[in-house]
Amino acid sequence: MLFLSTAVAILAALVLADLALSAAVIRRLRETETKLIEMTSPPASGLPLGATMPEFVSPDGQVASADLAGSPTLIGFFSAGCRHCPAQAEKLADRAEEITSNGVRVISFLTVAEGLTDELGPTLRKAGLLVMDDSPSAVMAAFQVQGTPSFVLFGADGRVAARSHDLSEVLGSR
């Protein structure tokens, strides 16, 4: 009987030690997951919510802020070589009809640096107006965009209604 009691006590101690170690491993995994998300997510950038649309003219002169006055506008910033841009460009092209049917204009700015190929252009053209540039432009600076992909949704009043690196977050329930 003493032998069984000792065995049960030792087994209980081992189970408690296992639970403590498992809890420590789970906590460490959660911390690591948080760090990975921070590392892979581009920093929050862009105009703050409620800010007015900055004055701009696209590098090729196709569009200016004055052309967009009074209409809701979704502006997307993309770059060739960006690993997250193709998926977001596909989402934009897939939802373009839905977006424009709600009266929202769609404009995409695509930066294609020297030595890179334009693989996003055909997809982005399906979504609306595409403005291409060979270097990060003054338009990106005006919108305070520091990473691609980035989306900014302006309401009809010309103020930022939503912004994010993910199209789904910007459109929300729209």
Side-chain angles (χ1 to χ4, degrees), residues 27-164:
R27 186 178 67 245
R28 179 59 71 106
L29 285 172
R30 288 183 178 152
E31 291 170 359
T32 302
E33 179 184 34
T34 302
K35 288 178 184 177
L36 284 172
I37 289 170
E38 290 171 1
M39 288 173 31
T40 58
S41 298
S45 66
L47 299 169
L49 294 176
T52 58
M53 183 180 294
E55 296 292 323
F56 75 93
V57 175
S58 65
D60 59 3
Q62 284 187 75
V63 66
S65 53
D67 302 331
L68 306 176
S71 65
T73 305
L74 174 65
I75 300 178
F77 295 92
F78 301 88
S79 59
C82 160
R83 73 179 190 170
H84 299 289
C85 288
Q88 292 298 318
E90 282 293 331
K91 283 184 184 180
L92 182 61
D94 290 345
R95 294 189 65 182
E97 187 175 320
E98 169 195 344
I99 296 167
T100 56
S101 70
N102 288 329
V104 178
R105 296 179 67 176
V106 178
I107 301 171
S108 300
F109 289 90
L110 173 60
T111 302
V112 182
E114 187 176 329
L116 294 176
T117 58
D118 169 23
E119 296 175 2
L120 296 175
T123 304
L124 292 171
R125 280 186 186 86
K126 296 175 190 175
L129 178 64
L130 174 62
V131 177
M132 296 182 61
D133 197 4
D134 58 2
S135 66
S137 67
V139 176
M140 284 182 75
F143 285 86
Q144 301 174 15
V145 172
Q146 298 174 1
T148 57
S150 286
F151 298 94
V152 184
L153 177 64
F154 290 92
D157 62 355
R159 296 192 175 278
V160 176
R163 67 179 171 87
S164 179

Side-chain angles (χ1 to χ4, degrees), residues 18-29:
D18 182 53
L19 284 173
L21 288 173
S22 295
V25 167
I26 290 170
R27 186 178 67 245
R28 179 59 71 106
L29 285 172

